[in-house]
Amino acid sequence: MLLVRPIHDPEFLEKYSLGVETHINRDDIKPDYEKYLSFVHGVHLPYNGVNLASPDEAERSRGVVYVKTAIDKAVQYPVDRAVMHPCGVMSVEGEKTGEYGKLVDSVREVVDYAAQKGLIICIENQLYKPANVKEIFACRSEEWFQLFHDVNRPNVKLTFDSSHAASCAAEENDDDKRLAALWKYLEHPDYIGRFHWSDSRIAGGESLFWDMHLVPGQGTLPREFHQEILRHPAVKLLEQYCTQDEVISGLEFIAGL
């Protein structure tokens, strides 16, 4: 199934058999949100202002409680899983702000709570930023897989965000290495339970540090890479803020893969 942001008319969603993914505490507080309720087939837990890796126990605990409260809202929808940013802010402007052990403990606590509610948590790979600005855990594929293994719970999966992956893989010094780094994110398809599907301009390293979220077919990710995403059985969000015509363009590109 393909999902989009809850920004298009219900008539358009019906015509193209699209669902929506709702950001808890963002989309669901908008005045006209009620018209999307019957289209919700995906939920995304909130992450702004949350650091689940914080060594400050009060800050870490507040973040855990905030995400748990969002899970209580998520289970009202007909979904069996929720997308979650790991929220592991390891440093800001060079100052240490997180510890990996704290992050694992926090994510386990959230995932265990979700299990009580019958929910799978799909941990998303993160947008890559310059180290002197902000270091966030699980930008690189190896970190993402490490967190999956260390959390080690039966109800944890991964969300693959292709735009985030391109922002990190672009750091390599030539296109062959960039594409090799990109493909590493798909080395364990059985770990993946959700996709955030976008194109990006990885050629020449243009996507470095840039969350492009282009409509599929409008960037330079390889056609074979898009085909691999399409073949995977998991639900996919076309994660673009774009016009209806652009959505149609993306659907046409996907139909031609």
Side-chain angles (χ1 to χ4, degrees), residues 235-250:
V235 170
K236 302 162 184 74
L237 167 69
L238 300 178
E239 196 179 17
Q240 295 87 43
Y241 285 104
C242 64
T243 67
Q244 292 181 2
D245 285 345
E246 287 175 309
V247 173
I248 294 169
S249 171

Side-chain angles (χ1 to χ4, degrees), residues 5-256:
R5 301 279 199 182
I7 58 175
H8 304 292
D9 294 335
E11 295 78 15
F12 178 79
L13 301 177
E14 287 180 356
K15 181 177 180 179
Y16 291 95
S17 301
L18 297 168
V20 301
E21 181 178 281
T22 288
H23 262 266
I24 303 297
N25 296 342
R26 182 193 296 178
D27 295 323
D28 56 350
I29 61 174
K30 294 177 181 176
D32 63 346
Y33 175 70
E34 191 170 307
K35 67 184 181 184
Y36 294 111
L37 287 175
S38 63
F39 295 96
V40 176
H41 292 282
V43 293
H44 197 308
L45 302 177
Y47 53 87
N48 283 338
V50 177
N51 185 8
L52 297 182
S54 176
D56 182 295
E57 185 57 27
E59 180 184 8
R60 188 196 71 84
S61 295
R62 279 196 303 272
V64 169
V65 170
Y66 181 56
V67 179
K68 285 182 177 180
T69 302
I71 287 172
D72 291 337
K73 295 181 179 181
V75 295
Q76 70 179 293
Y77 298 107
V79 298
D80 68 345
R81 61 198 62 197
V83 175
M84 176 185 171
H85 286 204
C87 301
V89 183
M90 310 311 284
S91 72
V92 176
E93 296 181 350
E95 181 179 345
K96 183 179 177 181
T97 56
E99 298 175 3
Y100 181 66
K102 297 289 187 180
L103 176 61
V104 172
D105 289 344
S106 298
V107 175
R108 281 179 179 163
E109 189 173 345
V110 169
V111 169
D112 288 345
Y113 184 76
Q116 297 172 23
K117 304 288 183 174
L119 206 62
I120 297 165
I121 296 296
C122 297
I123 299 171
E124 184 175 345
N125 61 301
Q126 297 297 279
L127 173 65
Y128 190 49
K129 297 186 177 184
N132 63 346
V133 175
K134 183 183 287 188
E135 288 185 288
I136 306 172
F137 197 82
C139 298
R140 293 184 172 86
S141 58
E142 58 269 25
E143 295 177 344
W144 188 43
F145 295 141
Q146 178 186 346
L147 184 59
F148 172 82
H149 286 294
D150 289 346
V151 171
N152 191 27
R153 292 294 189 269
N155 66 313
V156 67
K157 302 281 281 183
L158 299 175
T159 295
F160 175 62
D161 187 308
S162 53
S163 182
H164 290 173
S167 77
C168 186
E171 73 173 341
E172 300 293 341
N173 60 16
D174 67 57
D175 280 349
D176 286 343
K177 291 179 181 178
R178 292 177 187 115
L179 292 179
L182 182 70
W183 277 101
K184 284 183 179 179
Y185 289 88
L186 298 184
E187 280 186 347
H188 300 285
D190 52 314
Y191 295 178
I192 298 175
R194 188 70 104 205
F195 285 85
H196 284 180
W197 190 0
S198 300
D199 214 329
S200 189
R201 294 194 292 271
I202 195 172
E206 187 178 352
S207 58
L208 180 63
F209 307 136
W210 192 359
D211 199 7
M212 289 186 166
H213 284 300
L214 301 178
V215 171
Q218 293 187 357
T220 59
L221 299 188
R223 184 178 184 83
E224 296 78 12
F225 194 78
H226 290 293
Q227 290 172 331
E228 191 71 13
I229 292 174
L230 180 60
R231 276 192 288 268
H232 197 287
V235 170
K236 302 162 184 74
L237 167 69
L238 300 178
E239 196 179 17
Q240 295 87 43
Y241 285 104
C242 64
T243 67
Q244 292 181 2
D245 285 345
E246 287 175 309
V247 173
I248 294 169
S249 171
L251 294 176
E252 290 173 345
F253 172 79
I254 290 166

